[in-house]
Amino acid sequence: MAEAKSSPASEPTRRDMLFLATGAMGAAGVVALAVPFVRTLAPNAQTIAAGAPIEVDLTPIPEGQGIKLFWRGKLIFVRSRTKAEIEEAQKVNLASLPDPQADSARVKPGKENWLVIYGSCTHLGCIPGGSAAGEVRGDYNGWFCPCHGSHYDTSGRIRKGPAPTNLPVPPYAFLSDTKIRIG
Ligand code: FES
């Protein structure tokens, strides 16, 4: 018959070793946690990925150009619209739009030169071109999705092609004339 072996009191048992190991991990954990706690004052990459608001400095964006960035894992376009692009977006007969929406409902009052929209085609999710210099902007000088030929205007509204709806506007607010917070 097998007999359970007992260890001498002076020798650490396997369980003692486990406790020691856990204690060491715990101490390391406290040290490791202390640093991120201070850093939470500014959202880290993980927090941003989880959906924290992000601030975007608009100053590097030249008039008539745009940038692409990610928020909550989704692509966002930010474009600095020219006067002509704004006028083009405002003068459209809403009844002619597949997804009628006034330009004023898609921008912030007094900041009509900035357009902030999601950058995923509402047809099947391709990425429309038109943000960076040199990208094809389509028939309405906005964005063009080459996958199946959807044309968006300077307000990000669908004008031609299979996409059923406009490029949506994410939640955002101006913190100053040159900074927005998305989320
Ligand atoms: S995914 Fe853009 S047109 Fe089809």
Side-chain angles (χ1 to χ4, degrees):
M1 197 162 123
E3 211 179 295
K5 286 186 185 164
S6 62
S7 310
S10 56
E11 247 180 64
T13 63
R14 197 165 165 219
R15 179 183 288 181
D16 291 337
M17 295 295 277
L18 277 174
F19 278 135
L20 282 172
T22 311
M25 291 279 285
V30 169
V31 173
L33 279 175
V35 177
F37 183 73
V38 173
R39 285 190 186 149
T40 52
L41 294 174
N44 59 23
Q46 257 180 331
T47 312
I48 288 170
I54 54 169
E55 292 183 6
V56 183
D57 179 14
L58 304 174
T59 49
I61 309 173
E63 191 179 277
Q65 297 300 321
I67 59 165
K68 302 169 193 168
L69 54 97
F70 280 93
W71 175 66
R72 286 192 174 177
K74 295 198 171 146
L75 188 61
I76 305 271
F77 296 153
V78 181
R79 186 188 282 186
S80 167
R81 302 193 299 180
T82 63
K83 197 165 174 285
E85 287 171 342
I86 298 167
E87 283 169 5
E88 217 176 307
Q90 290 175 339
K91 73 177 183 202
V92 175
N93 174 8
L94 296 190
S96 71
L97 297 174
D99 181 15
Q101 191 177 27
D103 183 63
S104 58
R106 298 174 55 78
V107 295
K108 304 294 183 196
K111 305 274 194 253
E112 289 82 2
N113 55 322
W114 292 107
L115 184 71
V116 184
I117 50 177
Y118 283 106
S120 176
C121 181
T122 60
H123 181 222
L124 292 176
C126 287
I127 300 172
S131 295
E135 288 182 356
V136 176
R137 292 187 164 186
D139 292 357
Y140 298 86
N141 195 29
W143 286 264
F144 174 66
C145 182
C147 289
H148 312 93
S150 285
H151 299 251
Y152 297 90
D153 67 13
T154 58
S155 190
R157 294 170 299 197
I158 183 63
R159 300 294 291 275
K160 192 165 98 180
T165 56
N166 304 330
L167 295 172
V169 177
Y172 75 96
F174 275 86
L175 302 178
S176 72
D177 281 348
T178 56
K179 191 178 275 187
I180 57 170
R181 182 178 55 220
I182 300 176

